[in-house]
Short mmCIF file of all heavy atoms in Angstrom, two decimals:
data_model
loop_
_atom_site.label_atom_id
_atom_site.label_comp_id
_atom_site.label_asym_id
_atom_site.label_seq_id
_atom_site.Cartn_x
_atom_site.Cartn_y
_atom_site.Cartn_z
N ILE A 1 -4.20 187.38 35.22
CA ILE A 1 -5.45 188.00 34.87
C ILE A 1 -5.28 188.61 33.48
O ILE A 1 -4.30 189.26 33.18
CB ILE A 1 -5.80 189.19 35.83
CG1 ILE A 1 -5.93 188.66 37.24
CG2 ILE A 1 -7.01 189.95 35.38
CD1 ILE A 1 -6.05 189.79 38.30
N VAL A 2 -6.21 188.31 32.60
CA VAL A 2 -6.22 188.88 31.21
C VAL A 2 -7.27 189.92 31.17
O VAL A 2 -8.43 189.62 31.42
CB VAL A 2 -6.45 187.75 30.15
CG1 VAL A 2 -6.57 188.36 28.80
CG2 VAL A 2 -5.36 186.71 30.23
N LEU A 3 -6.88 191.09 30.85
CA LEU A 3 -7.83 192.24 30.60
C LEU A 3 -7.91 192.53 29.09
O LEU A 3 -6.94 193.06 28.56
CB LEU A 3 -7.40 193.50 31.36
CG LEU A 3 -7.41 193.44 32.88
CD1 LEU A 3 -6.83 194.71 33.49
CD2 LEU A 3 -8.86 193.32 33.36
N ASP A 4 -9.03 192.15 28.52
CA ASP A 4 -9.20 192.36 27.07
C ASP A 4 -9.92 193.68 26.86
O ASP A 4 -11.12 193.85 27.26
CB ASP A 4 -10.01 191.21 26.51
CG ASP A 4 -10.10 191.29 25.03
OD1 ASP A 4 -9.64 192.33 24.38
OD2 ASP A 4 -10.65 190.39 24.40
N LEU A 5 -9.27 194.68 26.37
CA LEU A 5 -9.80 195.99 26.20
C LEU A 5 -10.28 196.27 24.77
O LEU A 5 -10.38 197.45 24.33
CB LEU A 5 -8.72 197.05 26.58
CG LEU A 5 -8.26 196.92 28.07
CD1 LEU A 5 -7.18 198.00 28.34
CD2 LEU A 5 -9.35 196.99 29.04
N THR A 6 -10.50 195.18 24.05
CA THR A 6 -10.92 195.36 22.61
C THR A 6 -12.11 196.24 22.48
O THR A 6 -12.22 197.04 21.58
CB THR A 6 -11.18 193.97 22.07
OG1 THR A 6 -10.06 193.16 22.14
CG2 THR A 6 -11.64 194.04 20.58
N GLY A 7 -13.08 196.14 23.37
CA GLY A 7 -14.30 196.91 23.31
C GLY A 7 -14.17 198.33 23.79
O GLY A 7 -15.16 199.10 23.67
N MET A 8 -13.06 198.72 24.33
CA MET A 8 -12.86 200.11 24.86
C MET A 8 -12.56 200.99 23.65
O MET A 8 -11.52 201.02 23.07
CB MET A 8 -11.67 200.15 25.84
CG MET A 8 -11.46 201.49 26.44
SD MET A 8 -10.18 201.57 27.61
CE MET A 8 -11.12 201.38 29.10
N THR A 9 -13.63 201.81 23.31
CA THR A 9 -13.48 202.63 22.14
C THR A 9 -13.07 204.08 22.49
O THR A 9 -12.50 204.79 21.63
CB THR A 9 -14.81 202.74 21.35
OG1 THR A 9 -15.83 203.19 22.26
CG2 THR A 9 -15.20 201.39 20.83
N SER A 10 -13.29 204.54 23.70
CA SER A 10 -12.90 205.87 24.05
C SER A 10 -11.62 205.81 24.92
O SER A 10 -11.36 204.80 25.60
CB SER A 10 -14.00 206.55 24.90
OG SER A 10 -14.21 205.95 26.15
N ALA A 11 -10.87 206.86 24.78
CA ALA A 11 -9.58 206.93 25.60
C ALA A 11 -9.70 207.90 26.70
O ALA A 11 -9.00 208.94 26.71
CB ALA A 11 -8.47 207.31 24.60
N ASP A 12 -10.52 207.63 27.64
CA ASP A 12 -10.78 208.51 28.80
C ASP A 12 -9.65 208.33 29.80
O ASP A 12 -9.48 207.21 30.35
CB ASP A 12 -12.15 208.19 29.39
CG ASP A 12 -12.37 208.98 30.69
OD1 ASP A 12 -11.97 210.12 30.77
OD2 ASP A 12 -13.01 208.41 31.57
N PRO A 13 -8.84 209.31 30.04
CA PRO A 13 -7.75 209.15 30.98
C PRO A 13 -8.14 208.76 32.40
O PRO A 13 -7.44 207.97 33.07
CB PRO A 13 -7.11 210.61 31.09
CG PRO A 13 -7.57 211.28 29.85
CD PRO A 13 -8.92 210.71 29.49
N HIS A 14 -9.32 209.17 32.85
CA HIS A 14 -9.79 208.77 34.15
C HIS A 14 -10.00 207.23 34.20
O HIS A 14 -9.59 206.60 35.17
CB HIS A 14 -11.06 209.55 34.52
CG HIS A 14 -11.51 209.33 35.89
ND1 HIS A 14 -10.88 209.77 37.03
CD2 HIS A 14 -12.63 208.63 36.33
CE1 HIS A 14 -11.55 209.37 38.08
NE2 HIS A 14 -12.61 208.72 37.74
N THR A 15 -10.69 206.74 33.23
CA THR A 15 -10.89 205.29 33.17
C THR A 15 -9.61 204.47 33.07
O THR A 15 -9.42 203.44 33.74
CB THR A 15 -11.86 204.93 32.00
OG1 THR A 15 -13.09 205.67 32.16
CG2 THR A 15 -12.18 203.51 31.92
N LEU A 16 -8.75 204.96 32.17
CA LEU A 16 -7.48 204.27 32.00
C LEU A 16 -6.63 204.30 33.29
O LEU A 16 -5.84 203.40 33.53
CB LEU A 16 -6.71 204.85 30.85
CG LEU A 16 -7.40 204.52 29.46
CD1 LEU A 16 -6.65 205.26 28.37
CD2 LEU A 16 -7.44 203.08 29.18
N ASP A 17 -6.73 205.37 34.04
CA ASP A 17 -6.02 205.46 35.30
C ASP A 17 -6.51 204.38 36.26
O ASP A 17 -5.70 203.71 36.98
CB ASP A 17 -6.22 206.82 35.98
CG ASP A 17 -5.42 206.95 37.23
OD1 ASP A 17 -4.16 206.73 37.17
OD2 ASP A 17 -6.00 207.32 38.26
N HIS A 18 -7.81 204.08 36.22
CA HIS A 18 -8.31 202.97 37.01
C HIS A 18 -7.80 201.64 36.60
O HIS A 18 -7.52 200.78 37.38
CB HIS A 18 -9.87 202.93 36.99
CG HIS A 18 -10.55 204.01 37.79
ND1 HIS A 18 -10.48 204.06 39.20
CD2 HIS A 18 -11.25 205.12 37.41
CE1 HIS A 18 -11.11 205.08 39.59
NE2 HIS A 18 -11.61 205.77 38.55
N VAL A 19 -7.60 201.46 35.28
CA VAL A 19 -7.01 200.24 34.80
C VAL A 19 -5.57 200.03 35.31
O VAL A 19 -5.19 199.00 35.76
CB VAL A 19 -7.05 200.16 33.20
CG1 VAL A 19 -6.26 198.98 32.69
CG2 VAL A 19 -8.50 200.11 32.73
N VAL A 20 -4.80 201.10 35.20
CA VAL A 20 -3.43 201.12 35.68
C VAL A 20 -3.40 200.76 37.21
O VAL A 20 -2.58 199.93 37.64
CB VAL A 20 -2.72 202.46 35.39
CG1 VAL A 20 -1.35 202.44 36.02
CG2 VAL A 20 -2.58 202.60 33.90
N ARG A 21 -4.27 201.36 37.92
CA ARG A 21 -4.34 201.15 39.40
C ARG A 21 -4.77 199.73 39.71
O ARG A 21 -4.26 199.11 40.63
CB ARG A 21 -5.31 202.13 40.07
CG ARG A 21 -4.75 203.48 40.11
CD ARG A 21 -5.80 204.45 40.62
NE ARG A 21 -5.28 205.80 40.77
CZ ARG A 21 -5.13 206.43 41.94
NH1 ARG A 21 -5.38 205.82 43.07
NH2 ARG A 21 -4.64 207.64 41.90
N PHE A 22 -5.72 199.18 38.93
CA PHE A 22 -6.19 197.82 39.10
C PHE A 22 -5.02 196.85 38.88
O PHE A 22 -4.83 195.91 39.67
CB PHE A 22 -7.29 197.50 38.15
CG PHE A 22 -7.71 196.05 38.10
CD1 PHE A 22 -8.52 195.52 39.10
CD2 PHE A 22 -7.19 195.19 37.16
CE1 PHE A 22 -8.86 194.20 39.14
CE2 PHE A 22 -7.56 193.84 37.14
CZ PHE A 22 -8.32 193.38 38.20
N VAL A 23 -4.27 197.08 37.81
CA VAL A 23 -3.14 196.20 37.54
C VAL A 23 -2.12 196.23 38.69
O VAL A 23 -1.58 195.23 39.16
CB VAL A 23 -2.47 196.55 36.19
CG1 VAL A 23 -1.17 195.77 35.99
CG2 VAL A 23 -3.45 196.27 35.02
N GLY A 24 -1.86 197.44 39.25
CA GLY A 24 -0.91 197.58 40.34
C GLY A 24 -1.45 196.89 41.60
O GLY A 24 -0.68 196.16 42.26
N ALA A 25 -2.75 196.99 41.88
CA ALA A 25 -3.30 196.33 43.02
C ALA A 25 -3.27 194.81 42.86
O ALA A 25 -2.96 194.06 43.85
CB ALA A 25 -4.73 196.80 43.22
N ALA A 26 -3.56 194.36 41.67
CA ALA A 26 -3.47 192.93 41.46
C ALA A 26 -2.12 192.32 41.65
O ALA A 26 -1.88 191.27 42.20
CB ALA A 26 -4.00 192.58 40.01
N ARG A 27 -1.13 193.14 41.17
CA ARG A 27 0.32 192.72 41.34
C ARG A 27 0.71 192.62 42.78
O ARG A 27 1.39 191.69 43.25
CB ARG A 27 1.22 193.71 40.62
CG ARG A 27 2.67 193.25 40.59
CD ARG A 27 3.62 194.19 39.85
NE ARG A 27 3.12 194.38 38.48
CZ ARG A 27 2.71 195.55 37.98
NH1 ARG A 27 2.65 196.64 38.75
NH2 ARG A 27 2.35 195.72 36.74
N LEU A 28 0.16 193.54 43.64
CA LEU A 28 0.45 193.51 45.05
C LEU A 28 -0.17 192.25 45.72
O LEU A 28 0.38 191.75 46.73
CB LEU A 28 -0.15 194.74 45.73
CG LEU A 28 0.62 196.03 45.58
CD1 LEU A 28 -0.18 197.22 46.16
CD2 LEU A 28 2.02 195.96 46.14
N LEU A 29 -1.16 191.70 45.09
CA LEU A 29 -1.81 190.51 45.62
C LEU A 29 -1.21 189.25 45.06
O LEU A 29 -1.70 188.16 45.30
CB LEU A 29 -3.33 190.58 45.40
CG LEU A 29 -4.05 191.67 46.14
CD1 LEU A 29 -5.52 191.79 45.65
CD2 LEU A 29 -4.02 191.44 47.62
N GLY A 30 -0.23 189.40 44.23
CA GLY A 30 0.49 188.25 43.62
C GLY A 30 -0.02 187.78 42.32
O GLY A 30 0.39 186.76 41.81
N ALA A 31 -0.90 188.54 41.67
CA ALA A 31 -1.40 188.18 40.38
C ALA A 31 -0.59 188.87 39.29
O ALA A 31 0.01 189.86 39.48
CB ALA A 31 -2.87 188.62 40.22
N ARG A 32 -0.57 188.24 38.14
CA ARG A 32 0.09 188.82 36.95
C ARG A 32 -0.98 189.20 35.97
O ARG A 32 -1.90 188.39 35.67
CB ARG A 32 0.99 187.75 36.35
CG ARG A 32 1.77 188.23 35.15
CD ARG A 32 2.71 187.14 34.68
NE ARG A 32 3.06 187.33 33.32
CZ ARG A 32 3.07 186.40 32.40
NH1 ARG A 32 2.77 185.13 32.71
NH2 ARG A 32 3.40 186.65 31.13
N CYS A 33 -0.90 190.43 35.43
CA CYS A 33 -1.89 190.96 34.56
C CYS A 33 -1.29 191.14 33.15
O CYS A 33 -0.18 191.50 33.00
CB CYS A 33 -2.44 192.28 34.98
SG CYS A 33 -3.44 192.15 36.43
N VAL A 34 -2.10 190.83 32.14
CA VAL A 34 -1.73 191.02 30.70
C VAL A 34 -2.92 191.80 30.06
O VAL A 34 -4.07 191.30 30.15
CB VAL A 34 -1.50 189.71 30.01
CG1 VAL A 34 -1.10 189.95 28.55
CG2 VAL A 34 -0.40 188.92 30.74
N LEU A 35 -2.61 192.92 29.47
CA LEU A 35 -3.63 193.60 28.70
C LEU A 35 -3.51 193.19 27.24
O LEU A 35 -2.43 192.97 26.73
CB LEU A 35 -3.41 195.10 28.75
CG LEU A 35 -3.47 195.81 30.13
CD1 LEU A 35 -3.32 197.31 29.94
CD2 LEU A 35 -4.77 195.53 30.84
N CYS A 36 -4.66 193.13 26.60
CA CYS A 36 -4.71 192.86 25.19
C CYS A 36 -5.81 193.66 24.53
O CYS A 36 -6.67 194.20 25.20
CB CYS A 36 -4.91 191.39 24.95
SG CYS A 36 -6.44 190.66 25.49
N GLY A 37 -5.70 193.77 23.23
CA GLY A 37 -6.74 194.47 22.49
C GLY A 37 -6.75 196.00 22.56
O GLY A 37 -7.78 196.66 22.37
N LEU A 38 -5.60 196.58 22.88
CA LEU A 38 -5.48 198.00 22.99
C LEU A 38 -5.55 198.69 21.61
O LEU A 38 -4.81 198.31 20.71
CB LEU A 38 -4.17 198.45 23.65
CG LEU A 38 -4.02 198.18 25.09
CD1 LEU A 38 -2.59 198.37 25.59
CD2 LEU A 38 -4.99 199.09 25.90
N ARG A 39 -6.43 199.61 21.46
CA ARG A 39 -6.46 200.43 20.26
C ARG A 39 -5.42 201.51 20.29
O ARG A 39 -4.99 201.89 21.40
CB ARG A 39 -7.84 201.11 20.10
CG ARG A 39 -8.95 200.12 19.96
CD ARG A 39 -10.31 200.87 19.95
NE ARG A 39 -11.43 199.96 20.03
CZ ARG A 39 -12.07 199.50 18.95
NH1 ARG A 39 -11.71 199.92 17.76
NH2 ARG A 39 -13.05 198.65 19.03
N PRO A 40 -4.90 201.97 19.20
CA PRO A 40 -3.81 202.96 19.18
C PRO A 40 -4.14 204.22 20.00
O PRO A 40 -3.29 204.73 20.68
CB PRO A 40 -3.57 203.28 17.72
CG PRO A 40 -4.06 202.05 17.03
CD PRO A 40 -5.17 201.51 17.79
N GLU A 41 -5.33 204.69 19.86
CA GLU A 41 -5.69 205.91 20.62
C GLU A 41 -5.79 205.66 22.14
O GLU A 41 -5.48 206.55 22.93
CB GLU A 41 -7.07 206.49 20.13
CG GLU A 41 -8.22 205.57 20.16
CD GLU A 41 -8.37 204.67 18.92
OE1 GLU A 41 -7.51 204.67 18.08
OE2 GLU A 41 -9.42 203.97 18.91
N VAL A 42 -6.18 204.47 22.54
CA VAL A 42 -6.19 204.12 23.98
C VAL A 42 -4.78 203.96 24.48
O VAL A 42 -4.42 204.46 25.54
CB VAL A 42 -7.00 202.84 24.17
CG1 VAL A 42 -6.91 202.36 25.62
CG2 VAL A 42 -8.49 203.00 23.82
N ALA A 43 -3.91 203.33 23.65
CA ALA A 43 -2.50 203.15 24.14
C ALA A 43 -1.83 204.52 24.21
O ALA A 43 -1.03 204.77 25.11
CB ALA A 43 -1.80 202.30 23.06
N GLY A 44 -2.15 205.44 23.28
CA GLY A 44 -1.56 206.75 23.36
C GLY A 44 -1.88 207.51 24.63
O GLY A 44 -1.03 208.17 25.26
N VAL A 45 -3.13 207.42 25.06
CA VAL A 45 -3.54 208.12 26.29
C VAL A 45 -2.92 207.43 27.48
O VAL A 45 -2.46 208.05 28.45
CB VAL A 45 -5.08 208.14 26.41
CG1 VAL A 45 -5.51 208.67 27.74
CG2 VAL A 45 -5.68 208.98 25.34
N MET A 46 -2.88 206.10 27.44
CA MET A 46 -2.29 205.34 28.58
C MET A 46 -0.82 205.68 28.78
O MET A 46 -0.32 205.74 29.90
CB MET A 46 -2.46 203.82 28.32
CG MET A 46 -2.07 203.04 29.56
SD MET A 46 -2.50 201.30 29.41
CE MET A 46 -4.16 201.30 29.91
N CYS A 47 -0.10 206.01 27.71
CA CYS A 47 1.29 206.35 27.80
C CYS A 47 1.50 207.64 28.56
O CYS A 47 2.58 207.90 29.04
CB CYS A 47 1.88 206.45 26.40
SG CYS A 47 2.24 204.84 25.63
N GLY A 48 0.51 208.47 28.62
CA GLY A 48 0.55 209.72 29.37
C GLY A 48 0.30 209.58 30.84
O GLY A 48 0.43 210.52 31.57
N LEU A 49 -0.04 208.36 31.28
CA LEU A 49 -0.33 208.11 32.65
C LEU A 49 0.89 207.55 33.40
O LEU A 49 1.77 206.92 32.78
CB LEU A 49 -1.49 207.14 32.79
CG LEU A 49 -2.80 207.49 32.16
CD1 LEU A 49 -3.78 206.37 32.24
CD2 LEU A 49 -3.40 208.77 32.82
N GLU A 50 0.93 207.81 34.67
CA GLU A 50 2.03 207.28 35.51
C GLU A 50 1.79 205.83 35.82
O GLU A 50 0.69 205.36 36.07
CB GLU A 50 2.01 208.06 36.83
CG GLU A 50 3.37 207.92 37.56
CD GLU A 50 3.42 208.93 38.68
OE1 GLU A 50 3.13 210.11 38.49
OE2 GLU A 50 3.88 208.46 39.80
N GLY A 51 2.86 205.05 35.69
CA GLY A 51 2.78 203.59 36.07
C GLY A 51 2.52 202.64 34.93
O GLY A 51 2.51 201.42 35.07
N TRP A 52 2.26 203.11 33.71
CA TRP A 52 1.95 202.27 32.57
C TRP A 52 3.16 201.41 32.15
O TRP A 52 2.98 200.36 31.55
CB TRP A 52 1.47 203.05 31.36
CG TRP A 52 2.54 203.92 30.73
CD1 TRP A 52 2.80 205.19 31.04
CD2 TRP A 52 3.39 203.55 29.69
NE1 TRP A 52 3.86 205.65 30.27
CE2 TRP A 52 4.23 204.62 29.44
CE3 TRP A 52 3.62 202.40 28.96
CZ2 TRP A 52 5.19 204.60 28.48
CZ3 TRP A 52 4.58 202.35 28.01
CH2 TRP A 52 5.41 203.44 27.78
N GLN A 53 4.34 201.82 32.47
CA GLN A 53 5.56 201.14 32.00
C GLN A 53 5.70 199.74 32.56
O GLN A 53 6.36 198.85 31.92
CB GLN A 53 6.83 201.92 32.41
CG GLN A 53 6.99 203.27 31.74
CD GLN A 53 6.30 204.39 32.62
OE1 GLN A 53 5.51 204.11 33.52
NE2 GLN A 53 6.65 205.63 32.29
N THR A 54 5.05 199.46 33.65
CA THR A 54 5.14 198.13 34.30
C THR A 54 4.07 197.20 33.81
O THR A 54 4.00 196.03 34.26
CB THR A 54 5.07 198.28 35.84
OG1 THR A 54 3.82 198.81 36.19
CG2 THR A 54 6.19 199.16 36.34
N ILE A 55 3.18 197.62 32.89
CA ILE A 55 2.06 196.82 32.44
C ILE A 55 2.48 196.01 31.22
O ILE A 55 2.99 196.58 30.26
CB ILE A 55 0.84 197.63 32.10
CG1 ILE A 55 0.34 198.36 33.43
CG2 ILE A 55 -0.31 196.80 31.55
CD1 ILE A 55 -0.79 199.32 33.21
N GLU A 56 2.22 194.72 31.26
CA GLU A 56 2.46 193.84 30.14
C GLU A 56 1.32 193.93 29.20
O GLU A 56 0.15 193.73 29.62
CB GLU A 56 2.69 192.44 30.59
CG GLU A 56 3.04 191.45 29.50
CD GLU A 56 3.31 190.07 30.04
OE1 GLU A 56 3.25 189.79 31.25
OE2 GLU A 56 3.56 189.15 29.18
N ALA A 57 1.49 194.20 27.93
CA ALA A 57 0.50 194.28 26.93
C ALA A 57 0.86 193.51 25.67
O ALA A 57 2.04 193.47 25.31
CB ALA A 57 0.24 195.74 26.52
N VAL A 58 -0.12 192.87 25.11
CA VAL A 58 0.06 192.04 23.93
C VAL A 58 -0.99 192.42 22.91
O VAL A 58 -1.98 193.13 23.21
CB VAL A 58 0.10 190.52 24.19
CG1 VAL A 58 1.24 190.09 25.10
CG2 VAL A 58 -1.25 190.10 24.83
N ARG A 59 -0.80 191.93 21.64
CA ARG A 59 -1.67 192.33 20.59
C ARG A 59 -3.12 191.83 20.69
O ARG A 59 -4.08 192.63 20.56
CB ARG A 59 -1.09 191.78 19.28
CG ARG A 59 -1.90 192.13 18.06
CD ARG A 59 -1.24 191.67 16.87
NE ARG A 59 -2.04 191.92 15.70
CZ ARG A 59 -1.72 191.73 14.46
NH1 ARG A 59 -0.50 191.23 14.20
NH2 ARG A 59 -2.54 192.07 13.52
N ASP A 60 -3.30 190.52 21.01
CA ASP A 60 -4.69 189.98 21.04
C ASP A 60 -4.86 188.96 22.09
O ASP A 60 -3.91 188.63 22.85
CB ASP A 60 -5.04 189.39 19.64
CG ASP A 60 -4.05 188.37 19.21
OD1 ASP A 60 -3.32 187.74 20.04
OD2 ASP A 60 -4.01 188.13 17.98
N LEU A 61 -6.04 188.51 22.21
CA LEU A 61 -6.43 187.53 23.34
C LEU A 61 -5.66 186.22 23.16
O LEU A 61 -5.23 185.67 24.20
CB LEU A 61 -7.97 187.30 23.29
CG LEU A 61 -8.48 186.40 24.39
CD1 LEU A 61 -8.17 186.93 25.74
CD2 LEU A 61 -9.98 186.23 24.23
N ARG A 62 -5.46 185.79 21.96
CA ARG A 62 -4.68 184.55 21.75
C ARG A 62 -3.28 184.61 22.38
O ARG A 62 -2.86 183.75 23.09
CB ARG A 62 -4.62 184.24 20.31
CG ARG A 62 -3.82 182.94 20.03
CD ARG A 62 -3.83 182.61 18.54
NE ARG A 62 -5.18 182.20 18.24
CZ ARG A 62 -5.69 182.14 16.97
NH1 ARG A 62 -4.95 182.41 15.94
NH2 ARG A 62 -6.95 181.79 16.76
N GLU A 63 -2.63 185.75 22.12
CA GLU A 63 -1.24 185.94 22.69
C GLU A 63 -1.34 186.03 24.14
O GLU A 63 -0.42 185.57 24.87
CB GLU A 63 -0.58 187.17 22.02
CG GLU A 63 0.77 187.42 22.51
CD GLU A 63 1.79 186.32 22.14
OE1 GLU A 63 1.62 185.63 21.15
OE2 GLU A 63 2.76 186.15 22.92
N ALA A 64 -2.35 186.73 24.69
CA ALA A 64 -2.47 186.89 26.16
C ALA A 64 -2.64 185.57 26.84
O ALA A 64 -2.04 185.29 27.90
CB ALA A 64 -3.62 187.80 26.46
N LEU A 65 -3.42 184.68 26.25
CA LEU A 65 -3.64 183.39 26.87
C LEU A 65 -2.41 182.49 26.76
O LEU A 65 -2.18 181.67 27.63
CB LEU A 65 -4.83 182.71 26.14
CG LEU A 65 -6.19 183.32 26.45
CD1 LEU A 65 -7.26 182.63 25.55
CD2 LEU A 65 -6.54 183.31 27.85
N ARG A 66 -1.61 182.69 25.79
CA ARG A 66 -0.31 181.98 25.64
C ARG A 66 0.64 182.30 26.77
O ARG A 66 1.34 181.48 27.27
CB ARG A 66 0.40 182.30 24.34
CG ARG A 66 -0.09 181.48 23.17
CD ARG A 66 0.82 181.67 21.99
NE ARG A 66 0.04 181.42 20.79
CZ ARG A 66 0.07 182.19 19.72
NH1 ARG A 66 0.89 183.21 19.67
NH2 ARG A 66 -0.71 181.95 18.71
N ARG A 67 0.59 183.54 27.15
CA ARG A 67 1.54 184.02 28.24
C ARG A 67 0.96 183.63 29.59
O ARG A 67 1.62 183.55 30.53
CB ARG A 67 1.67 185.50 28.17
CG ARG A 67 2.42 185.87 26.87
CD ARG A 67 2.95 187.22 26.93
NE ARG A 67 3.58 187.55 25.67
CZ ARG A 67 4.36 188.51 25.46
NH1 ARG A 67 4.63 189.35 26.45
NH2 ARG A 67 4.90 188.77 24.29
#
């Protein structure tokens, strides 16, 4: 699953927590998730959440599709 967060302009911790939980749930179902298009402010807030360390993230959609 490729989650392109390029359009995510706000770094709301509640919303990002849902993203982290979604990735965890998808992993439990056997899917592999790759995040792309993270803005620095979004990445900064995500680092404050529990469980972000297990999320694979790449720079852009092209790299995500390669993986």
Side-chain angles (χ1 to χ4, degrees):
I1 300 171
V2 174
L3 291 174
D4 187 355
L5 302 179
T6 301
M8 182 179 262
T9 57
S10 66
D12 174 34
H14 185 70
T15 302
L16 291 174
D17 184 55
H18 284 293
V19 172
V20 172
R21 288 172 179 248
F22 172 80
V23 171
R27 188 178 301 115
L28 286 173
L29 296 172
R32 180 175 159 226
C33 291
V34 178
L35 296 184
C36 65
L38 287 169
R39 296 175 189 265
E41 56 274 6
V42 174
V45 172
M46 188 172 277
C47 285
L49 301 175
E50 198 170 313
W52 69 269
Q53 297 89 342
T54 61
I55 297 176
E56 183 178 358
V58 295
R59 181 178 176 173
D60 55 23
L61 183 58
R62 179 177 292 164
E63 182 63 28
L65 293 174
R66 276 190 209 136
R67 294 197 183 192

